């Protein structure tokens, strides 16, 4: 069976390297774009394609709690 690469969840390499570099230069890595922009995009897609609003709200609440917990943890670099 062939392995499928999904656009957002591939092997970690940017699928659009030029766009990735521009966004990183403008906003930094995993700051504004990782949190707010992604949340807005996912929310819009969920509310357009998921017929039950409670499911969309639950997914978004899970994402927000993930971001809050990420911010609360110590970074190891």
């Amino acid at each position: 069976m062939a392995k499928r690469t999904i656009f957002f969840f591939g092997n970690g390499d940017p699928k659009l390297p030029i766009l990735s570099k521009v966004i990183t230069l403008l906003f930094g890595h995993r700051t504004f774009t990782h949190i707010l922009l992604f949340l807005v995009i996912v929310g819009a897609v969920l509310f357009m394609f998921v017929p039950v609003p409670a499911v969309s709200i639950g997914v978004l609440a899970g994402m927000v709690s993930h971001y809050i917990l990420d911010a609360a943890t110590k970074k190891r670099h």
Side-chain angles (χ1 to χ4, degrees), residues 5-12 15 38 41:
T5 302
I6 299 174
F7 182 79
F8 292 113
F9 304 111
N11 60 3
K15 303 299 179 222
F38 187 67
I41 291 169

Side-chain angles (χ1 to χ4, degrees), residues 18-29 31-33:
I18 294 171
L19 180 62
S20 175
K21 288 181 183 182
V22 170
I23 290 173
T24 300
L25 285 172
L26 291 174
F27 302 107
H29 181 71
T31 56
F32 171 76
T33 56

Side-chain angles (χ1 to χ4, degrees), residues 9-10 35 50 67 70:
F9 304 111
I35 298 170
V50 176
Y67 296 138
D70 272 354

